[in-house]
Amino acid sequence: MLNLAVRSYCRPFRKPLRTHHGWWEKREGLILRLQDDQGYVGFGEIAPIPWFGTETLNAAKTLCAQWPPQFLPATIAAIPDTLPACQFGFGSALRSLEAARDRVPRDSFGQGVSSWTKEPGPWMCALLPAGEAVLDAWLPFYPKGHRTFKWKIGVAPLPEELQLFQTLIKVLPADTRLRLDANGGLTPDMAKQWLIACDAAHNKVEFLEQPLPPDSSLDWVIETVNTFQTAIALDESVATIKQLRQVCQHLQNRVIYVVKPVIAGFPEQLYALCTQYQLDVVFSSALETSIGYRAALHLAQDLWNAGVPRHALGFGVGHWFQDDWETLTEADLFHRC
């Protein structure tokens, strides 16, 4: 039998994060602690983003409040698809508990999660701010090994952003690449202008992410994907496993899928879907704590080992927070909340 303990957290950003969805001032979520009869412990995280189509934080709290005091692992499998962040949180907590039983080090990802956090290297994409601040914001990250950067677009008038883009690709070193994330904030004509500009940048742009809103993306992508050299990626359109399955059945590997594991659903189901279709996947952060982050990294390693293409991971976001949580163990972080 298993026992559950839950803690809420609230992490203010150093500065509000600006996206097409609006300003984001703080990250809120839940930390889960599972313990079995032998005393082994595992941790998970529930970190919903409702505007990406997940449940609300209140819905997650309701589920946890109604959870039985003692339960079998099979209870977790009954969490419905309407609660994908809860599915990931409980599912990854169970994986963490099983690893503890098997005495598998939780820092066994690649060179070790801890060392990769301290020395991110070229495999980690750093998130840059929207607007003019982007022109200098990449400078602290380049000496640390970052060579891939994500820039939020679709938050200012198109001519202004295109002009900033032209300046940015000139100041960035030759060995760097950009990911442009519109968060669904473009029209088809605006997306076409961005793709023309990206093609003219001579491979400086890795992909244009989620140009159109999810409800109008699929037909447009099918019509557009082979027209330009620059790759198109989908994010909000494939936020959950259910959405990812529906889209990839139409597009297969014609696009790149930017997946936030922490809000997608059960880790095992996500692994099965990505390997079944050998999807071209980029794992990306949902601004989670290091508990969700580490669970996502382990899943990414499992997929890489299974032959899924490797891309720089979109988890270079720790600098957006004003706390020291990245340095804490899972147990210390749970007790800090």
Side-chain angles (χ1 to χ4, degrees):
M1 299 293 286
L2 303 178
N3 293 281
L4 171 68
V6 183
R7 297 283 179 86
S8 298
Y9 70 81
C10 178
R11 304 180 74 191
F13 294 118
R14 289 182 183 274
K15 296 180 179 179
L17 177 61
R18 187 183 183 189
T19 75
H20 176 70
H21 300 293
W23 291 96
W24 199 1
E25 297 183 351
K26 57 187 178 181
R27 186 56 162 118
E28 296 180 280
L30 305 173
I31 303 298
L32 311 179
R33 181 183 184 273
L34 297 185
Q35 183 170 351
D36 67 10
D37 294 336
Q38 303 174 62
Y40 290 107
V41 173
F43 294 91
E45 177 176 356
I46 301 176
I49 309 180
W51 55 91
F52 266 74
T54 75
E55 68 271 42
T56 64
L57 182 58
N58 283 338
K61 289 180 177 179
T62 298
L63 175 73
C64 293
Q66 297 172 348
W67 202 261
Q70 289 191 315
F71 61 96
L72 294 170
T75 307
I76 294 174
I79 299 174
D81 291 343
T82 52
L83 303 172
C86 291
Q87 287 182 335
F88 183 87
F90 277 90
S92 58
L94 186 58
R95 284 165 60 98
S96 171
L97 176 60
E98 291 168 348
R101 287 173 179 162
D102 296 335
R103 293 179 170 81
V104 176
R106 295 306 292 161
D107 286 339
S108 61
F109 176 82
Q111 301 175 32
V113 171
S114 295
S115 63
W116 282 41
T117 302
K118 295 175 183 176
E119 298 178 8
W123 52 268
M124 188 67 76
C125 176
L127 177 62
L128 303 178
E132 253 185 86
V134 71
L135 298 179
D136 297 320
W138 63 274
L139 288 168
F141 301 103
Y142 187 83
K144 298 177 181 179
H146 290 280
R147 295 298 181 268
T148 307
F149 300 98
K150 174 182 279 195
W151 182 38
K152 297 287 187 179
I153 62 172
V155 298
L158 179 62
E160 179 182 326
E161 287 191 331
L162 285 173
Q163 185 174 4
L164 272 176
F165 170 71
Q166 296 299 333
T167 304
L168 180 60
I169 60 175
K170 291 177 182 177
V171 300
L172 283 174
D175 59 345
T176 60
R177 299 192 79 191
L178 270 176
R179 296 172 178 175
L180 303 178
D181 185 6
N183 287 124
L186 306 181
T187 65
D189 182 65
M190 294 166 68
K192 179 180 178 181
Q193 292 187 59
W194 270 111
L195 287 167
I196 291 172
C198 291
D199 279 3
H202 305 295
N203 295 318
K204 196 68 177 178
V205 177
E206 185 177 5
F207 52 72
L208 176 62
E209 182 176 335
Q210 196 65 48
L212 273 59
D215 58 0
S216 58
S217 285
L218 186 57
D219 290 341
W220 178 84
V221 170
I222 291 173
E223 296 173 0
T224 308
V225 68
N226 295 322
T227 304
F228 298 91
Q229 295 179 354
T230 302
I232 296 173
L234 295 178
D235 185 354
E236 283 93 335
S237 294
V238 293
T240 67
I241 292 172
K242 181 180 179 180
Q243 292 173 312
L244 179 61
R245 182 179 291 110
Q246 292 171 341
V247 171
C248 74
Q249 288 173 348
H250 290 280
L251 293 174
Q252 300 290 322
N253 270 338
R254 298 170 68 190
V255 299
I256 295 172
Y257 299 91
V258 179
V259 176
K260 294 175 170 57
V262 174
I263 64 172
F266 287 119
E268 292 80 4
Q269 292 184 14
L270 181 56
Y271 174 88
L273 183 60
C274 291
T275 52
Q276 176 186 353
Y277 289 95
Q278 284 294 294
L279 298 181
D280 200 355
V281 176
V282 174
F283 270 14
S284 184
S285 174
L287 284 301
E288 61 282 296
T289 74
S290 58
I291 290 177
Y293 163 72
R294 293 183 183 201
L297 289 188
H298 284 283
L299 184 55
Q301 182 68 77
D302 290 342
L303 286 171
W304 287 353
N305 291 342
V308 170
R310 297 190 179 211
H311 290 276
L313 298 165
F315 288 90
V317 298
H319 57 286
W320 282 92
F321 295 101
Q322 56 184 9
D323 53 46
D324 63 347
W325 286 13
E326 305 300 321
T327 66
L328 302 178
T329 66
E330 292 175 324
D332 288 341
L333 179 52
F334 177 80
H335 291 297
R336 180 72 67 88
C337 295

